[in-house]
């Protein structure tokens, strides 16, 4: 009898652990990157920069999808800012900004971690790019968190080229949660639920 109870208790604990792991990712399992892709990045973060030396849309989408797929990738992504060039830093900031919006609904605590990670970085290009995506989120103008949520940052209104990719529906859904933001221009939603854009204009109230 005691053995059976112990087995049931262990099974319940396993379910709780697996449920916690599922909640940790902002993407659901159908959207998340393969585990091999995530582990490959964690093993060699610098490889991401070497594959995208000019930054751009592909680096934006890779950063967004990595962070939204597994919170363990956040610190390695932020760590890349120290060795990234200006274009790469901007792309990383944009990707983190998109990941923040995606994570707001399923895991607000992790979204806050993303915000604080960008705020704590020394990369102004990343902060500026992040602020274009999230003009209502205070991250500090130059090297530190400041203000409070709902406060726009300098340079928060403008345009940035980005590739929203196959998981853009989640970004679009989360964008509607904040009526102070307007994501416009060139944005289309396909019947498969993807979102593609050549130019995204982000403006705050």
């Amino acid at each position: 009898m005691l053995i059976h109870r112990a087995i049931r208790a262990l099974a319940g604990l396993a379910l709780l652990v697996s449920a916690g792991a599922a909640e940790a990712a902002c993407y659901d399992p159908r959207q998340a990157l393969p585990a091999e892709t995530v582990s490959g990045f964690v093993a060699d973060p610098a490889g991401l920069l070497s594959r995208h030396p000019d930054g751009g849309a592909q680096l934006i989408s890779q950063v967004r999808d990595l962070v939204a797929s597994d919170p363990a990738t956040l610190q390695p992504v932020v760590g890349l800012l120290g060795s990234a060039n200006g274009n790469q830093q901007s792309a990383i900031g944009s990707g983190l900004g998109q990941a923040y919006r995606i994570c707001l609904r399923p895991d607000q605590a992790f979204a806050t971690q993303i915000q604080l990670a960008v705020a704590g970085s020394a990369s102004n290009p990343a902060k500026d790019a992040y602020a274009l995506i999230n003009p209502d989120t205070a991250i500090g103008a130059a090297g530190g968190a400041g203000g409070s949520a709902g406060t726009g940052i300098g340079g928060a209104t403008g345009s940035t080229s980005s590739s929203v990719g196959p998981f853009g529906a989640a970004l679009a859904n989360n964008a509607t949660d904040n009526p102070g933001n307007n994501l416009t221009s060139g944005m289309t939603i396909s019947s498969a639920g993807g979102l593609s854009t050549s130019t995204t204009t982000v403006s705050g109230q």
Side-chain angles (χ1 to χ4, degrees), residues 80-173:
L80 292 175
L81 292 172
S83 57
N85 61 41
N87 289 338
Q88 290 172 324
Q89 290 178 48
S90 294
I92 291 171
S94 293
L96 289 172
Q98 292 184 8
Y100 170 85
R101 300 198 70 79
I102 291 171
C103 292
L104 270 175
R105 180 178 296 173
D107 193 341
Q108 187 172 5
F110 180 57
T112 299
Q113 291 182 34
I114 297 172
Q115 173 190 351
L116 293 175
V118 176
S121 77
S123 172
N124 286 333
K127 291 178 182 180
D128 289 343
Y130 180 97
L132 286 173
I133 305 296
N134 300 289
D136 58 335
T137 302
I139 59 171
S148 59
T151 302
I153 306 302
T157 301
S159 300
T160 180
S161 295
S162 62
S163 173
V164 180
F167 308 129
L171 173 62
N173 289 337

